[in-house]
Amino acid sequence: MTEELKPASAGMAEPCLPPALRKPRLRRWEAADYLKIVHGIEVAPATLAKWASVGGGPAYQKVNRTPLYPTAELDSWAADKLGDPVRNTSHG
C-alpha cells in the first residue's frame, strides 16, 4: 500500500496521517505528534500541558479530566505562530 499525498488548501501537499491522528480531537501526546507531522512544529506534550495552565498554547476542550485538542484549533494556532512567509529579514 502506498502513501498518497492529498492536496492541502494552501497549495502544499499534506502528509498522510497515521490513523491515530485522523480523529477530530486529539489527546495531548497526539496533538504534539500532529503539530510535528503537519506543521513541522516540535512541541513536547509537557509544554502543551504548561501552556494549558499559563496560556499561550492551542485551544482545547475537556472531557472529564482529559484535555482534547480539536485539529482545527491546532491548525489555527500553528498558522498564527508561523506567521506569513518572508523573503528577507527586513520584512519580518
Side-chain angles (χ1 to χ4, degrees):
M1 182 169 147
T2 62
E3 289 192 24
E4 296 180 18
L5 296 177
K6 296 182 254 178
S9 60
M12 299 177 68
E14 182 179 314
C16 186
L17 294 172
L21 301 182
R22 293 183 199 157
K23 302 179 288 189
R25 289 174 190 80
L26 304 173
R27 297 186 80 128
R28 195 165 275 149
W29 66 270
E30 294 169 326
D33 288 345
Y34 180 89
L35 288 169
K36 182 177 181 182
I37 292 170
V38 175
H39 298 286
I41 299 173
E42 293 192 40
V43 176
T47 302
L48 289 172
K50 180 175 180 176
W51 286 339
S53 176
V54 300
Y60 65 96
Q61 299 169 310
K62 286 183 90 172
V63 174
N64 297 324
R65 295 177 61 191
T66 304
L68 297 174
Y69 292 82
T71 54
E73 292 293 337
L74 293 170
D75 293 335
S76 175
W77 178 83
D80 289 344
K81 286 295 179 188
L82 290 171
D84 295 328
V86 296
R87 296 204 181 272
N88 59 51
T89 57
S90 66
H91 288 119

